[in-house]
Amino acid sequence: YDTAGSAKLVSEGKLTGVAAISSEIAATTYGLDILDRGIEDDSNNFTRFLLLSTKPVRVPYTLKSKTSIVFSLHNVAGGVF
């Protein structure tokens, strides 16, 4: 699960003494109390989402966007191709 999934697990499992780090939207969606905000230790910490589609996805030029992709490959010749 992602962070929203963690909030869902805490909520649906009726877990006590347990917290989830998630977005404010996830907390509101699953009826959880927000205990603290801005707990990241890096002010440049952002969650990013990647849209994949078989059709072109147009993002408004006014929207600041950045893409980061992480993947791993076997260490073999031509692995990136």
Side-chain angles (χ1 to χ4, degrees), residues 33-81:
D33 294 329
I34 298 172
L35 304 177
D36 203 356
R37 288 180 171 82
I39 62 171
E40 70 279 341
D41 59 1
D42 180 352
S43 61
N44 291 315
N45 182 21
F46 297 95
T47 300
R48 295 182 179 99
F49 298 92
L50 177 64
L51 302 176
L52 298 176
S53 175
T54 56
K55 298 178 182 172
V57 176
R58 300 205 184 270
V59 178
Y61 72 92
T62 56
L63 179 68
K64 294 181 180 179
S65 59
K66 179 179 181 179
T67 302
S68 301
I69 300 175
V70 177
F71 59 93
S72 64
L73 302 169
H74 293 287
N75 186 17
V76 295
V80 226
F81 295 104

Side-chain angles (χ1 to χ4, degrees), residues 1 3-22 30-33:
Y1 262 145
T3 56
S6 298
K8 181 179 179 183
L9 286 173
V10 171
S11 175
E12 290 181 351
K14 309 251 187 281
L15 304 175
T16 58
V18 177
I21 297 175
S22 69
Y30 297 113
L32 299 174
D33 294 329

